[in-house]
Amino acid sequence: MSDRAALLKGIRAWLVFFVVCLVLSGATAFPLVHELRWTDELLRASAVGDQLPGLADWIGRVRAGLDRADAEYPFLLYGTDWLAFAHLVIAVAFYGPYRDPVRNIWVVEFGMIACAGIIPLALICGPIRGIPLWWSVIDMAFGVFGVIPLYVVRRRIKRLEELTAPVAVPVPAV
């Protein structure tokens, strides 16, 4: 296998990994009420809730809020549907670099910028919305861990670009 083919295969594998993670994280926003109900019940029935009472209390509070919103104001949950949809749409954009990495490197760089943007969002909006700092750290971890495969992909695309750069052929003087 040539260097170019190996780089392309690696780029595509990392992109598939990133897209699968993006789709899974987005898809979990659709059944949020049910997920929180199951998580709350699991924490309360297991020793984990006793070991991490702050987590158990936070999940219980979030569940209560979602249950109330679902019962009295279900239209509020439409916002999480849009969150899920946004993840799916962004995932589709990564088909561009999958198909032609060098030409579509901007999508990877856009993803890296989006990952970096998670940190100020969590630090600013978290306290405004009453989110515990430790939960904001978990949210920020998505940006930190999300940027890693994109960084690897970007570096490989740059190497691929060097391998596929046109070679200047000198024109003989007359």
Side-chain angles (χ1 to χ4, degrees), residues 21-43:
C21 291
L22 193 58
V23 167
L24 289 175
S25 68
T28 61
F30 284 120
L32 204 53
V33 173
H34 302 293
E35 288 171 345
L36 260 293
R37 192 172 296 136
W38 297 329
T39 303
D40 186 40
E41 290 168 2
L42 182 66
L43 281 174

Side-chain angles (χ1 to χ4, degrees), residues 14-94:
W14 277 104
L15 285 170
V16 167
F17 171 74
F18 182 79
V19 166
V20 167
C21 291
L22 193 58
V23 167
L24 289 175
S25 68
T28 61
F30 284 120
L32 204 53
V33 173
H34 302 293
E35 288 171 345
L36 260 293
R37 192 172 296 136
W38 297 329
T39 303
D40 186 40
E41 290 168 2
L42 182 66
L43 281 174
R44 303 219 179 274
S46 71
V48 176
D50 296 334
Q51 299 293 325
L52 300 168
L55 175 64
D57 291 344
W58 174 247
I59 296 298
R61 182 172 184 219
V62 173
R63 176 193 173 175
L66 282 174
D67 283 346
R68 183 166 180 199
D70 189 36
E72 298 178 32
Y73 312 103
F75 53 86
L76 291 176
L77 298 176
Y78 190 51
T80 61
D81 297 337
W82 278 103
L83 171 70
F85 178 72
H87 278 77
L88 301 176
V89 168
I90 293 167
V92 170
F94 282 90

Side-chain angles (χ1 to χ4, degrees), residues 84-161:
F85 178 72
H87 278 77
L88 301 176
V89 168
I90 293 167
V92 170
F94 282 90
Y95 177 68
Y98 183 90
R99 193 186 55 191
D100 186 348
V102 173
R103 184 174 179 200
N104 294 295
I105 192 171
W106 69 270
V107 176
V108 174
E109 293 168 339
F110 168 80
M112 293 173 74
I113 292 166
C115 287
I118 292 171
I119 294 170
L121 177 84
L123 290 173
I124 294 166
C125 296
I128 291 171
R129 302 290 185 207
I131 306 298
L133 179 61
W134 59 268
W135 192 266
S136 292
V137 170
I138 292 170
D139 288 340
M140 288 184 281
F142 281 93
V144 172
F145 290 118
V147 82
I148 292 170
L150 295 178
Y151 177 75
V152 170
V153 166
R154 186 181 184 283
R155 284 189 51 204
R156 290 180 180 206
I157 291 173
K158 287 296 189 182
R159 286 202 312 248
L160 181 65
E161 184 178 38

